Amino acid sequence: LAKTTQPISMDSYEGQEVNITCSHNNIATNDYITWYQQFPSQGPRFIIQGYKTKVTNEVASLFIPADRKSSTLSLPRVSLSDTAVYYCLVASYKGSSASKIIFGSGTRLSIRP
Amino acid sequence: NAGVTQTPKFRVLKTGQSMTLLCAQDMNHEYMYWYRQDPGMGLRLIHYSVGEGTTAKGEVPDGYNVSRLKKQNFLLGLESAAPSQTSVYFCASSPVAGKTDTQYFGPGTRLTVL
């Protein structure tokens, strides 16, 4: 069961790059790493997912080292609207493995003008 | 295409009362999930379903029951509500094909048990 550890909170300023690191020492071979974003009073929203090395989409980048025991979500040039809670998940999802999905407490990111 | 919808949005119950929360998705997804989120906390998985007619327990299943009679609907029931079940409940669905998965969440149901 891959438990994740993230910083409780982070602060940054508009226009800066923000990197949030997640530790998952017990990640299994079949596990993928997924990041979600949650605004107050809303359900989480998928940001990015990866297995190894680097993944990039229009919103963020995900860096995963070779040992896969950690991952870093990178948000380029953040704005005030990026203020939210960010969750790192590690799971394989298939069949009974879906029962092992754990969101954790997430990282509360605050962006200032 | 409404995505994932939840009914009701808010509900107040007295201890011992029962109720059913409805989740509906129009994306033809196989997997559906029910989570609860307590103030300042992350989401915890209550029950999930890997297809029509199937259900399975998640991390915190006690005090809840679920049913998936139709592929597009996933119902969460509280038979005898307790104050400890005061929370925000989120439903999610995912297509699940192959090894990976992306969950799509509903807007949540805020439940208060007095």
Side-chain angles (χ1 to χ4, degrees):
Chain A
L1 186 61
K3 179 180 172 64
T4 61
T5 303
Q6 305 174 232
I8 294 174
S9 63
M10 294 180 67
D11 296 325
S12 188
Y13 293 91
E14 283 191 296
Q16 298 295 306
E17 178 184 78
V18 171
N19 296 312
I20 306 175
T21 297
C22 179
S23 173
H24 29 79
N25 291 320
N26 296 325
I27 189 169
T29 302
N30 293 330
D31 287 341
Y32 279 70
I33 300 156
T34 311
W35 286 80
Y36 286 85
Q37 175 191 56
Q38 185 179 27
F39 297 114
S41 303
Q42 294 186 26
R45 184 182 69 158
F46 171 87
I47 300 176
I48 197 166
Q49 184 178 74
Y51 185 80
K52 62 180 179 180
T53 62
K54 176 183 176 181
V55 179
T56 298
N57 61 23
E58 65 278 6
V59 177
S61 295
L62 179 60
F63 298 92
I64 305 169
D67 66 6
R68 305 202 323 125
K69 293 184 183 298
S70 67
S71 59
T72 299
L73 173 71
S74 180
L75 304 173
R77 297 179 300 281
V78 294
S79 64
L80 296 176
S81 63
D82 292 316
T83 295
V85 178
Y86 292 81
Y87 295 97
C88 165
L89 277 74
V90 175
S92 62
Y93 300 108
K94 289 189 70 174
S96 62
S97 296
S99 67
K100 300 181 176 64
I101 297 172
I102 296 178
F103 267 77
S105 299
T107 297
R108 189 172 300 275
L109 176 65
S110 298
I111 305 300
R112 301 176 181 177
Chain B
N1 190 336
V4 179
T5 58
Q6 294 184 230
T7 308
K9 289 184 170 54
F10 303 93
R11 185 70 186 270
V12 177
L13 291 178
K14 294 181 179 179
T15 297
Q17 288 185 317
S18 64
M19 77 163 294
T20 300
L21 281 66
L22 171 64
C23 175
Q25 54 94 3
D26 60 2
M27 298 174 282
N28 199 36
H29 286 172
E30 289 295 329
Y31 280 32
M32 297 188 73
Y33 314 78
W34 275 108
Y35 293 89
R36 62 176 286 174
Q37 185 173 37
D38 299 327
M41 305 290 288
L43 284 76
R44 291 186 292 171
L45 183 64
I46 304 172
H47 286 281
Y48 66 100
S49 168
V50 300
E52 181 179 319
T54 73
T55 63
K57 295 180 180 180
E59 181 187 3
V60 288
D62 294 342
Y64 306 94
N65 57 76
V66 288
S67 63
R68 183 101 180 267
L69 299 179
K70 294 183 178 180
K71 185 177 183 179
Q72 63 269 34
N73 296 334
F74 195 29
L75 279 63
L76 177 71
L78 286 74
E79 292 185 347
S80 179
S84 61
Q85 294 178 305
T86 293
S87 190
V88 179
Y89 291 84
F90 288 102
C91 175
S93 69
S94 63
V96 183
K99 300 178 181 178
T100 65
D101 162 51
T102 299
Q103 295 187 47
Y104 297 81
F105 284 82
T109 294
R110 187 173 298 275
L111 174 66
T112 301
V113 182
L114 302 176

